[in-house]
Amino acid sequence: MTEKFIHGYALLIGVGESAYSELSLPVTVKDTQAIYAALIDPELCAYPDDQDHIRVLNNENATKTGILDGLSWLKEKATSDPSATIFVYYSGHGWVDKNTKRYYLLQHDIKPTKIAGSALSAEDFTEALRQIQSERLLVVIDSCHAAGMATSKDADLILDKKFDEEFEDFIRVAPSKGFIRELKQGKGRLVFTSSEGEQKSWIKQDQTNSIYTYHFLEALQGAGNKPGDKEVRVSNIMNYLGQAVPETARDLYKVEQVPQNDMTGGDFVIAKLRGGKGLPDKGWEEVKPEATQTIYKIGQIIGHQQAKNILNIEKADNFHFGDVIQQK
């Protein structure tokens, strides 16, 4: 029987549908549900599949209050479990106010005419994270998405112009170095972002995931590990994303997308590797076809069932995905 990663706790936020439809990002829901499916699979990351260890906020549940309540829940988990490993994954828009230079995460219930007053500010997000007293905390921010459903440079330029005209006081950018520095203050607190500066976070052409999330899913299955490794460490993920994401962005769109990963806070285990079996003697190349098929099947099931409240991911060809709960 697979040993569970019992000290792992995750909050996965995919804003998805915005109360202001022009800002909706459907792929962010697919991203968080795919990460969730990988985390709870006993043959992959082996997180316990219950609300006590992992929570997903999508669409109308990804509100400002919902996100802050989720971070408060993680604070409680870290307090009650000194061995807790905390994982926060945010996929959605991130904008900076040109006038005040303040950074905002645009959750579901933002008001387009009052973004500064309604969006989740970097200060509030940072303060909530500081309350989580864990020496193993990973925050991943996949923001600055290519506009809407854009999957080409031309389409994104058209949507960019529309956004620039409608929200002229804001710029879509990745989290600033200052924001990241504030987030990672303290021992064992690491922050990853999907791009830097005004680079975009691009979506795969099949619309299943962002490029960043796709490679993150590969990394959770050992893409950055060595033969014999039985756990996925944050450094394994960082090293792989730093290589794979820029290569794919150049191949698909001829653009630069360089993830920002700072390991000065240390390194720690974030998940089991292949349910604790680890990588075989031939390493990642031996299991890559299986891992690719796993990601494909997760994407297919999520895509077919997206309109339902519960995605019943059943056993299929020795893949055990569990039940992916879509909170809509």
Side-chain angles (χ1 to χ4, degrees), residues 101-278:
K101 308 304 179 185
R102 296 182 72 187
Y103 191 81
Y104 297 92
L105 299 177
L106 274 61
Q107 78 286 347
H108 170 80
D109 57 340
I110 62 108
K111 298 177 181 178
T113 59
K114 298 179 180 179
I115 289 179
S118 62
L120 179 59
S121 69
E123 291 86 353
D124 288 345
F125 187 64
T126 300
E127 181 57 31
L129 284 167
R130 283 179 179 163
Q131 300 303 311
I132 302 172
Q133 298 300 306
S134 172
E135 294 186 357
R136 290 170 294 278
L137 187 151
L138 172 63
V139 179
V140 176
I141 301 177
D142 186 2
S143 64
C144 197
H145 285 270
M149 296 290 285
T151 54
S152 72
K153 289 177 68 177
D154 290 341
D156 190 60
L157 287 172
I158 293 171
L159 290 168
D160 262 346
K161 183 177 180 181
K162 175 180 173 61
F163 279 132
D164 288 345
E165 292 173 350
E166 191 166 359
F167 302 103
E168 60 183 11
D169 291 331
F170 292 86
I171 306 172
R172 288 183 294 149
V173 295
S176 67
K177 291 182 179 179
F179 178 27
I180 294 172
R181 186 167 55 249
E182 290 296 317
L183 282 177
K184 66 183 185 64
Q185 284 189 4
K187 182 180 178 181
R189 305 170 79 85
L190 306 177
V191 181
F192 288 3
T193 66
S194 60
S195 58
E196 64 178 354
E198 294 186 39
Q199 293 176 351
K200 303 291 173 53
S201 178
W202 289 87
I203 301 168
K204 290 179 77 263
Q205 291 174 333
D206 62 6
Q207 297 286 321
T208 53
N209 297 116
S210 70
I211 290 173
Y212 186 83
T213 296
Y214 178 83
H215 290 305
F216 200 98
L217 289 166
E218 287 188 316
L220 287 176
Q221 297 183 75
N225 286 82
K226 297 178 180 179
D229 285 353
K230 296 184 182 299
E231 298 169 321
V232 179
R233 302 184 70 84
V234 176
S235 58
N236 301 135
I237 296 175
M238 179 199 73
N239 292 333
Y240 183 68
L241 293 178
Q243 171 190 345
V245 172
E247 288 181 357
T248 301
R250 293 187 199 110
D251 288 344
L252 293 181
Y253 300 114
K254 311 301 181 189
V255 297
E256 291 298 313
Q257 181 182 340
V258 182
Q260 295 300 290
N261 310 307
D262 188 334
M263 292 294 297
T264 57
D267 191 14
F268 52 85
V269 174
I270 194 69
K272 297 283 186 182
L273 177 51
R274 302 182 73 236
K277 297 189 303 291

Side-chain angles (χ1 to χ4, degrees), residues 62-105:
T63 62
K64 184 176 181 178
T65 298
I67 293 170
L68 293 175
D69 285 349
L71 295 174
S72 179
W73 164 71
L74 288 176
K75 172 188 173 183
E76 294 173 3
K77 294 291 107 180
T79 300
S80 62
D81 182 357
S83 299
T85 294
I86 305 294
F87 177 30
V88 178
Y89 199 98
Y90 171 87
S91 186
H93 285 298
W95 289 6
V96 68
D97 188 317
K98 293 179 182 178
N99 301 310
T100 65
K101 308 304 179 185
R102 296 182 72 187
Y103 191 81
Y104 297 92
L105 299 177

